[in-house]
Amino acid sequence: LFPSSQIYPIHLPQKTRTRRALLICNIEFEHLRWRGGAEVDVEGMTRLLEGLGYVVDVHRNLTSQEMAMVMKDFAGHKGHCTSDSTFLVFMSHGVRAGLCGTKSRDETTDILSLNTIYETFNNKHCQALLGKPKVVIIQSCRGGKAGSVLVSDSADPAVPTPSSAPTIPAGLEDDAICEVHLESDFATLHSSTPDTVSWRSSVTGSVFIQRLIEQFRNHACSSDLQELFRKVQYSFGKFPRQLPSQERTTMLRKFYLFPG
């Protein structure tokens, strides 16, 4: 058992707790592909977060500037004073540097830098969440590379033939199109590793969001947040095209969504 000093305190009683979460999802773009299946992700994540006691502020189809403004407004919400944590969920097309706004054309236009998320909610700009877990969930591509590599057990260095190159899984699309001081009490789970794509079904939504919801529903009652993140990563063990990545995590304690 961990001493209570190593566990984030949960604000009780629940009746006076005002947990809030922010969810931004870009589905329709002026120049990029429509993100089919993304609405399934929005509905699933909203239900999950509401079940965890969060009031979810949902925003769709924003430019990078609008995303920054929405985050700034959310960071200033008075409800954080009587909350014990927050979730910040972002879903969009993405590039290595950040998230695509609805006017994005390429890797440099209308991009929300990931740094902006951390700067907006750091201890200087969002003091109501000082010392409280800030959970960042990002569903987006981070480049156009495949997440898997072909390996051989042969003693000879094998050169994969073009016919054996990775193919796109049936029914899946990719969402293709950080570096300042790490702030405290952030935990980030990105849908993929740097420079690689994230996969999404136009029918069932993103593979990452599906598996995250499943693991949280099955294990949030007993596992702390970073163990939940590990379980999500482990669920991709037989899906070599994509591996969620824990990044910029500065949690000083264990965060249990359900106390006791």
Side-chain angles (χ1 to χ4, degrees):
L1 291 175
F2 291 90
S4 58
S5 62
Q6 292 191 25
I7 298 174
Y8 284 101
I10 295 297
H11 188 92
L12 296 171
Q14 193 169 338
K15 288 180 181 177
T16 58
R17 185 170 69 203
T18 55
R19 283 181 171 175
R20 300 196 73 91
L22 175 65
L23 192 159
I24 295 175
C25 182
N26 288 340
I27 302 173
E28 299 176 34
F29 299 79
E30 291 186 11
H31 309 287
L32 306 177
R33 295 192 314 275
W34 179 64
R35 294 184 61 247
E39 194 59 52
V40 178
D41 294 340
V42 173
E43 292 170 5
M45 279 302 298
T46 300
R47 281 198 302 270
L48 175 70
L49 292 170
E50 287 176 346
L52 295 171
Y54 293 86
V55 175
V56 187
D57 294 1
V58 179
H59 299 265
R60 294 174 178 83
N61 302 328
L62 305 178
T63 65
S64 59
Q65 191 172 7
E66 289 168 341
M67 285 191 276
M69 288 300 297
V70 162
M71 284 195 296
K72 187 175 179 182
D73 289 345
F74 183 77
H77 199 287
K78 292 179 180 177
H80 296 314
C81 294
T82 45
S83 179
D84 50 40
S85 56
T86 191
F87 273 74
L88 309 166
V89 183
F90 302 89
M91 307 174 183
S92 186
H93 285 303
V95 297
R96 183 68 174 89
L99 297 158
C100 295
T102 53
K103 295 182 183 297
S104 179
R105 293 175 177 270
D106 50 40
E107 295 197 4
T108 59
T109 57
D110 198 21
I111 302 296
L112 177 78
S113 168
L114 297 184
N115 284 343
T116 305
I117 300 171
Y118 301 96
E119 289 166 2
T120 304
F121 294 96
N122 67 17
N123 294 333
K124 177 181 178 183
H125 296 122
C126 186
Q127 294 187 6
L129 287 171
L130 178 67
K132 302 173 183 179
K134 294 165 277 282
V135 185
V136 182
I137 306 292
I138 302 175
Q139 162 61 40
S140 77
C141 281
R142 312 178 71 181
K145 295 181 181 178
S148 57
V149 61
L150 296 171
V151 293
S152 168
D153 282 333
S154 166
D156 301 317
V159 180
T161 60
S163 61
S164 67
T167 56
I168 297 175
L172 294 181
E173 305 169 351
D174 65 61
D175 268 336
I177 81 144
C178 2
E179 292 161 82
V180 300
H181 273 305
L182 301 182
E183 304 81 0
S184 68
D185 311 299
F186 279 94
T188 304
L189 189 62
H190 213 300
S191 58
S192 61
T193 50
D195 301 312
T196 63
V197 297
S198 295
W199 296 100
R200 170 176 41 78
S201 162
S202 59
V203 177
T204 57
S206 305
V207 179
F208 169 64
I209 296 296
Q210 291 174 51
R211 297 189 182 188
L212 183 147
I213 290 171
E214 179 183 5
Q215 295 303 320
F216 270 63
R217 285 199 171 136
N218 291 339
H219 303 290
C221 57
S222 57
S223 297
D224 71 277
L225 181 77
Q226 284 172 276
E227 175 63 11
L228 291 172
F229 280 4
R230 189 198 62 77
K231 289 180 186 296
V232 176
Q233 291 174 296
Y234 183 79
S235 75
F236 280 79
K238 294 189 169 124
F239 190 75
R241 300 175 183 284
Q242 180 178 340
L243 180 62
S245 175
Q246 293 191 51
E247 295 181 20
R248 215 160 162 161
T249 293
T250 53
M251 300 285 275
L252 303 178
R253 309 179 186 186
K254 289 183 174 287
F255 177 36
Y256 290 92
L257 285 152
F258 294 98

